Amino acid sequence: MKLRHAPLKATACIRGHLESAMSVKAFRLVPAVERDLLMGDKARINIECIECCGKNLYIGTNDCSIYYFLLEEKNSPAEKTSFSVSKQLHKYLSFRKPVGELKAASALNRLLVLCDNTITLMNMMNLEPIPTGARIKGATMFTLNENPMSGDPFCVEVCIVSVKRRTIQLFLVYEDRVQIVKELLTPEQPCAVAIDGHYLCLALTTQYIILNYDTGVSQDLFPYSSEERRPIVKRVGRQEFLLAGPGGLGMFATVDGISQRAPVHWSENVVGAALCFPYVVALDEEFITVHSMLDQQQKQTLPFKDGHILQDFEGRVIVATTKGVYILVPLPLETQIQDLLASHRVEEALVLAKGARRNIPKEKFQVMYKRILQQAGFIQFAQLQFLEAKELFRGGQLDVRELISLYPFLLPSSSSFMRTHPPLHEYADLNQLTQGDQEKMAKCKQFLMSYLNEVRSTDVANGYKEDVDTALLKLYAESGHESLLDLLVSENFCLLADSAAWLEKHKKFFALGLLYHANGQDASALQLWVKIVNGDIQDSTRTDLYEYIVDFLTSCADHELVWKYAEWVLQRSEEVGVYIFTRRPLGEEQKNSFNPDDVISCLNKYPVSLVKYLEFLVLERRVKKEKFHTHLAVLYLEEVLCLKSLAAEKSEELSKSQAKLRSLLQKSDLYRIRFILDKISGTDLHMECAILFGKLEQHDKALHILVHELKDFAAAEEYCVWNSESKDLPYRKKLFHMLLSEYLNSSTSEHQLAMAAVDLLNNHAAEFDAACVLQLIPDTWSVQLLSSFLCGSMRESIHAQRMTQIALGLAKAENLTYTHEKVKLKGIATVLSDRKVCQMCQSPFSEPAFVRYPNGGVVHTHCAANRHVNSSTNHHLSSPSGRT
């Protein structure tokens, strides 16, 4: 199976990279073993291979020698790492061939040395061959399995490319012996090998393959010509390898034959590769190049001529020429990240920071990563990339005061906030950041408003809500933002002193009043608002501020404050001002917080308000007090009389006022009727007089007015209806008969009255006794004239008769039911003789009176009435159905 990865076309590798915007200083090249220390004046000695295990450094040369050095790392105050190297041993082997490979097995204290196709086991400390002479013969190259499958901690697994053609062999190497485990044949001659668990990654003559030595299954990766360039096979992690692919690509491949990472683009002539997470380091004839595994970008280029060895040993990267050994010392990742941030390369810094997670303890990483996110956020903020900045601030859990502190004077004067040290950015304030550009400054302020509004109700603001809300208020006030009022009327933590001064500075006096109210200073708020309405100070925030003040006083719990401003609101508008008394909260109404007498005394100077308040008491609250009802009736009457004098001009108002007066006179029974009647007498308010006579039960006078003075027959009929409401039928019939008599017994025989009488009879037939009516009406009236009345009366009479018959039938049925029950209760006859004894006292009966229980038992009447009855006898006699 071929390696599944999108093909990338190779491009020319540009050498001589300057330290440009894309460079990162990830490594420093530090000398470790220089020529003089290694070979002195022996010019022909060349380095062939190296091995490093902890502090132990081994170098194999072309003169069949092994040099053992002790490597000590030194850190200077400037944090520049250097190394001191001391030569421990020099061991000459007798093969007279170059040392091909060195591998240390520290668990066994053994150094495996490949020379002259033989792997010799030597003591790591004294470089002496082991006494047993155990060795592996016929090897051209070898590698150790860093993910061994044997499970034995006292052996290492060794994979060799045998001198036998197309052969791979696997050995177990112990402290003093070796054991062959497996021998495999390959399709072509292996040129390079790496091993992980059961998997071999092989560079053959023309291709790379993965071979499972346990099952024998192989998988092709991609073609490669070993004749054109040197193959590279490098284990980079569990079941993953790095290979030198075609086109100058460093290809990652897993044991499943897939690539989970994008390739890195290195030189066509790479001779070695090493891994130091998150970087891949590559070596060619002139340069060392550093590539990121996170974004596949080339990050650093170091000039290095004649290099031919590049290896990593437990995170330490060593590079060598034929004459010297050097160490690539990685700069701390945090330093690299800070360098990227200083260059404003935010994305690269974040990618590197995320990649560093695996190499840093969790808690330390979290602290570091949050700070990096915060720094990145400020960089994006300075570039006006506000959406990106917001996400970074949130991800980094930024103390929002760090952002607020950039804006002059936004933090409260009482705030104890101090910026983080070392600082998260390089800016003193917003002026420096924007370089005085007003447009940029406005955008920054708009962003802060949006951000603070989002975070003020979240955990981000916990512990310093006062600073956040105060800053937000200042921004809103400065910009005239509509959300200023929303902030102040909702729960907020704005500090009064700072906020009040700022609002006053920006002439936001209505908002200042809201701030006072939020801090329990209603008196100060009202004083300010009244000044605005009076024109003493200017603020056009609300054109309906007077109505707002009335609403405010309506719900104000401070009654002294309400009384203080009552005169002011009433003077400005009697109709609206009275709301402070009539629209109190329901709870206050129930408590009668405002004494009506006190309110009326205050409103005496304001007639419109007084009427409104009395209407509120009488019609809405339904207060049952005569003085309020009488007072309201008098005011209505006075208004009607006043308007009557201006009837031509105020006809519509007069109609409304009369309607209100008549409604009150009809519906209320609490006003002083004769007092009102005296006031009306001598006026032309005949309808009102009729209503009042009706209240006095003087219906003849009332009907006389309606019929003869007003000639309002419809009103006369209505009078009978409303006066008989909630009264019995005889009373109602009495009123209608009185009205009929008024029509018929007139001294003047007007045709109009006769027709009114006919209409009355025909429209209200049910309200009349037909027999009486027939005696009253003139003999000259025809049957046809009264047809409706006669039909209605007949229908009513027949209906009454039938209803009576039904009631009689129901009564008879009920009587029958009771008779049946009585018969049932009588049951069987009881025989009483002188032998019969009372079941309670056991004495004979001396008289015929007795009490019989449903169970047949008989007792004396006085025994049945006795409260001190024997419990057993009582239980026996008083059964649940114990009726006598």
Side-chain angles (χ1 to χ4, degrees):
M1 181 183 292
K2 299 295 182 184
L3 178 67
R4 299 192 294 276
H5 198 288
L8 293 178
K9 187 177 180 180
T11 61
C13 184
I14 301 173
R15 296 307 185 182
H17 272 288
L18 299 175
E19 294 297 319
S20 63
M22 289 304 294
S23 66
V24 175
K25 190 172 183 180
F27 294 93
R28 286 191 309 110
L29 191 61
V30 178
V33 180
E34 299 193 60
R35 174 175 178 159
D36 293 343
L37 182 63
L38 180 65
M39 58 195 70
D41 56 355
K42 299 177 181 178
R44 294 184 179 179
I45 296 178
N46 294 327
I47 298 173
E48 295 290 333
C49 57
I50 53 178
E51 171 67 293
C52 185
C53 182
K55 295 181 179 180
N56 304 308
L57 177 63
Y58 304 93
I59 299 175
T61 62
N62 61 344
D63 67 342
C64 202
S65 293
I66 299 174
Y67 294 85
Y68 169 30
F69 297 91
L70 203 58
L71 197 62
E72 294 284 351
E73 187 173 321
K74 297 188 296 182
N75 289 314
S76 66
E79 297 185 357
K80 290 193 174 182
T81 303
S82 61
F83 296 90
S84 65
V85 179
S86 57
K87 185 185 289 187
Q88 303 296 307
L89 282 173
H90 169 215
K91 178 70 175 179
Y92 176 74
L93 306 179
S94 56
F95 295 109
R96 296 185 180 180
K97 294 281 183 77
V99 178
E101 197 120 25
L102 297 171
K103 296 290 180 185
S106 57
L108 309 178
N109 192 31
R110 294 291 178 261
L111 181 68
L112 281 67
V113 181
L114 173 61
C115 186
D116 195 20
N117 295 336
T118 300
I119 299 174
T120 305
L121 275 61
M122 305 180 74
N123 186 294
M124 282 181 63
M125 297 297 106
N126 58 25
L127 300 183
E128 293 296 327
I130 60 172
T132 60
R135 63 187 61 194
I136 300 172
K137 295 184 178 181
T140 59
M141 63 184 71
F142 76 99
T143 187
L144 304 185
N145 192 348
E146 296 178 36
N147 181 24
M149 305 307 294
S150 66
D152 187 346
F154 301 107
C155 75
V156 293
E157 295 180 15
V158 178
C159 173
I160 72 166
V161 176
S162 174
V163 292
K164 297 179 184 179
R165 184 162 179 78
R166 297 188 296 112
T167 302
I168 297 288
Q169 293 178 328
L170 290 134
F171 289 85
L172 292 180
V173 175
Y174 296 87
E175 190 176 5
D176 55 359
R177 61 190 176 89
V178 296
Q179 174 186 339
I180 188 166
V181 177
K182 199 115 180 174
E183 183 172 287
L184 302 165
L185 290 177
T186 60
E188 299 174 359
Q189 180 62 29
C191 304
V193 62
I195 184 170
D196 181 87
H198 286 130
Y199 296 94
L200 299 172
C201 185
L202 300 169
L204 304 180
T205 309
T206 61
Q207 65 178 341
Y208 289 103
I209 67 167
I210 296 288
L211 175 62
N212 186 323
Y213 71 75
D214 186 48
T215 63
V217 176
S218 68
Q219 183 168 283
D220 295 346
L221 296 179
F222 53 85
Y224 185 78
S225 175
S226 60
E227 295 179 358
E228 294 180 6
R229 58 185 63 86
R230 179 175 173 179
I232 294 174
V233 181
K234 173 74 180 175
R235 178 184 182 271
V236 294
R238 188 175 180 84
Q239 298 188 347
E240 187 175 19
F241 302 94
L242 173 64
L243 315 171
L249 295 179
M251 306 286 286
F252 294 94
T254 68
V255 296
D256 297 319
I258 63 174
S259 181
Q260 295 176 329
R261 307 177 199 266
V264 296
H265 192 172
W266 56 31
S267 166
E268 293 272 5
N269 304 312
V270 168
V271 296
L275 182 74
C276 182
F277 191 85
Y279 298 112
V280 171
V281 183
L283 173 69
D284 62 21
E285 297 96 333
E286 297 184 8
F287 297 96
I288 299 170
T289 54
V290 179
H291 309 262
S292 172
M293 295 174 66
L294 305 174
D295 61 10
Q296 293 72 50
Q297 299 296 317
Q298 183 172 320
K299 300 297 183 181
Q300 188 178 7
T301 302
L302 297 168
F304 192 77
K305 288 191 175 184
D306 301 325
H308 77 119
I309 297 174
L310 174 63
Q311 288 179 263
D312 58 87
F313 305 95
E314 299 170 352
R316 179 176 288 166
V317 181
I318 297 180
V319 62
T321 64
T322 56
K323 305 299 182 182
V325 177
Y326 303 84
I327 297 177
L328 281 171
V329 179
L331 270 68
L333 282 174
E334 194 167 355
T335 302
Q336 297 179 43
I337 293 166
Q338 292 302 323
D339 288 345
L340 288 170
L341 290 174
S343 303
H344 295 180
R345 291 154 63 187
V346 173
E347 293 300 325
E348 290 181 73
L350 294 178
V351 169
L352 183 57
K354 289 176 186 174
R357 185 192 303 264
R358 60 184 280 181
N359 293 341
I360 300 175
K362 183 177 180 181
E363 291 185 5
K364 182 180 178 182
F365 172 78
Q366 287 177 343
V367 172
M368 180 194 81
Y369 190 60
K370 283 180 183 178
R371 178 177 171 82
I372 291 167
L373 289 174
Q374 293 169 11
Q375 289 177 281
F378 277 107
I379 291 169
Q380 298 285 40
F381 174 75
Q383 296 172 352
L384 308 187
Q385 302 296 319
F386 297 126
L387 287 177
E388 294 81 354
K390 180 169 70 172
E391 294 306 314
L392 291 167
F393 288 151
R394 282 180 170 176
Q397 299 176 11
L398 175 73
D399 181 340
V400 72
R401 295 175 297 177
E402 288 280 358
L403 184 58
I404 297 172
S405 68
L406 273 174
Y407 297 71
F409 309 116
L410 286 195
L411 278 175
S413 55
S414 59
S415 176
S416 59
F417 172 72
M418 298 290 289
R419 284 186 182 176
T420 300
H421 186 79
L424 296 172
H425 53 81
E426 59 191 13
Y427 306 107
D429 58 24
L430 196 62
N431 291 317
Q432 181 190 348
L433 186 148
T434 61
Q435 297 180 344
D437 187 321
Q438 293 302 312
E439 186 179 350
K440 289 182 179 179
M441 201 173 293
K443 289 180 179 179
C444 291
K445 289 180 179 179
Q446 186 64 38
F447 164 72
L448 184 60
M449 277 191 278
S450 171
Y451 185 63
L452 292 182
N453 187 52
E454 287 182 24
V455 304
R456 63 182 294 263
S457 57
T458 66
D459 294 341
V460 174
N462 282 351
Y464 36 87
K465 290 181 180 288
E466 295 87 353
D467 293 354
V468 172
D469 280 2
T470 303
L472 188 56
L473 177 141
K474 290 180 177 181
L475 285 168
Y476 283 160
E478 184 180 8
S479 64
H481 200 281
E482 58 186 10
S483 297
L484 173 62
L485 303 185
D486 295 333
L487 172 66
L488 288 169
V489 298
S490 61
E491 183 184 8
N492 67 79
F493 298 88
C494 300
L495 294 175
L496 179 61
D498 271 76
S499 302
W502 198 270
L503 291 172
E504 191 168 350
K505 173 185 174 183
H506 292 281
K507 302 188 184 305
K508 301 295 180 183
F509 298 112
F510 175 72
L512 179 54
L514 292 177
L515 178 68
Y516 283 139
H517 170 58
N519 285 272
Q521 298 184 19
D522 288 351
S524 298
L526 281 166
Q527 184 179 15
L528 202 58
W529 293 336
V530 167
K531 284 183 178 180
I532 297 173
V533 175
N534 290 339
D536 299 334
I537 53 178
Q538 300 300 315
D539 185 341
S540 59
T541 303
R542 290 195 72 135
T543 55
D544 62 341
L545 183 54
Y546 168 73
E547 289 78 6
Y548 181 87
I549 294 173
V550 171
D551 288 341
F552 183 84
L553 288 170
T554 299
S555 57
C556 181
D558 186 346
H559 295 167
E560 289 186 10
L561 209 54
V562 177
W563 283 117
K564 178 179 177 181
Y565 287 98
E567 293 278 352
W568 181 83
V569 296
L570 291 167
Q571 287 169 4
R572 295 198 71 87
S573 172
E574 289 190 44
E575 287 195 6
V576 177
V578 74
Y579 292 161
I580 65 174
F581 300 118
T582 61
R583 294 188 177 178
R584 306 298 303 173
L586 185 60
E588 283 197 25
E589 287 184 20
Q590 293 171 347
K591 296 176 184 175
N592 293 320
S593 302
F594 283 86
N595 187 326
D597 294 329
D598 294 338
V599 176
I600 291 171
S601 176
C602 171
L603 297 178
N604 277 330
K605 294 184 291 183
Y606 308 101
V608 176
S609 297
L610 180 58
V611 171
K612 294 281 186 186
Y613 184 67
L614 286 170
E615 287 176 341
F616 164 71
L617 292 177
V618 172
L619 305 178
E620 288 188 38
R621 289 272 302 278
R622 302 185 182 280
V623 175
K624 304 296 183 183
K625 286 191 177 182
E626 172 271 322
K627 61 181 178 180
F628 299 144
H629 287 248
T630 302
H631 197 168
L632 181 58
V634 169
L635 290 176
Y636 278 166
L637 178 58
E638 289 175 352
E639 184 180 7
V640 169
L641 293 174
C642 178
L643 290 171
K644 270 190 171 292
S645 65
L646 307 169
E649 303 172 16
K650 304 281 186 179
S651 58
E652 189 176 342
E653 284 187 47
L654 176 59
S655 299
K656 289 181 180 178
S657 298
Q658 277 192 291
K660 289 199 291 185
L661 174 59
R662 290 171 185 175
S663 175
L664 177 64
L665 294 178
Q666 283 181 355
K667 294 178 180 177
S668 174
D669 296 321
L670 297 173
Y671 57 87
R672 291 159 58 192
I673 302 169
R674 293 194 180 277
F675 177 75
I676 302 298
L677 190 58
D678 289 344
K679 282 187 169 291
I680 289 179
S681 62
T683 69
D684 60 349
L685 299 178
H686 303 298
M687 179 63 77
E688 289 75 4
C689 283
I691 295 170
L692 291 170
F693 281 128
K695 289 287 184 179
L696 292 171
E697 296 289 328
Q698 298 177 13
H699 301 300
D700 52 344
K701 291 182 180 180
L703 290 172
H704 181 80
I705 291 171
L706 293 170
V707 173
H708 297 291
E709 294 186 28
L710 292 177
K711 297 188 184 301
D712 190 341
F713 309 128
E717 290 184 25
E718 181 63 28
Y719 174 88
C720 294
V721 172
W722 70 259
N723 262 294
S724 60
E725 283 178 355
S726 72
K727 301 289 178 64
D728 56 12
L729 184 60
Y731 188 92
R732 186 181 184 88
K733 286 189 173 185
K734 173 188 169 185
L735 282 180
F736 276 94
H737 274 278
M738 288 178 70
L739 178 57
L740 180 62
S741 298
E742 198 66 42
Y743 286 149
L744 297 177
N745 297 334
S746 174
S747 57
T748 60
S749 56
E750 295 181 24
H751 176 72
Q752 192 177 12
L753 293 178
M755 291 311 298
V758 172
D759 290 340
L760 179 66
L761 290 170
N762 289 333
N763 293 335
H764 298 278
E767 316 298 346
F768 292 95
D769 184 335
C772 294
V773 170
L774 290 174
Q775 293 177 5
L776 288 174
I777 60 175
D779 296 337
T780 57
W781 286 13
S782 66
V783 173
Q784 185 178 0
L785 191 64
L786 296 173
S787 60
S788 295
F789 166 70
L790 294 172
C791 290
S793 295
M794 289 295 293
R795 190 181 299 113
E796 184 65 28
S797 178
I798 294 169
H799 175 70
Q801 180 189 8
R802 289 173 177 171
M803 290 300 292
T804 304
Q805 289 173 344
I806 291 170
L808 179 62
L810 290 172
K812 287 180 178 180
E814 187 178 16
N815 183 57
L816 183 62
T817 301
Y818 286 139
T819 304
H820 177 252
E821 286 291 323
K822 184 177 179 183
V823 170
K824 279 173 49 179
L825 288 174
K826 285 183 176 180
I828 303 170
T830 300
V831 178
L832 192 67
S833 68
D834 55 356
R835 297 179 183 179
K836 200 90 168 181
V837 295
C838 172
Q839 287 193 0
M840 294 183 71
C841 68
Q842 302 301 315
S843 300
F845 289 89
S846 57
E847 53 185 13
F850 65 92
V851 174
R852 179 186 181 278
Y853 286 96
N855 62 0
V858 292
V859 298
H860 291 114
T861 54
H862 62 271
C863 289
N866 191 348
R867 296 182 180 180
H868 306 286
V869 185
N870 182 279
S871 59
S872 62
T873 305
N874 185 44
H875 177 75
H876 173 69
L877 296 176
S878 302
S879 65
S881 61
R883 293 177 295 177
T884 59

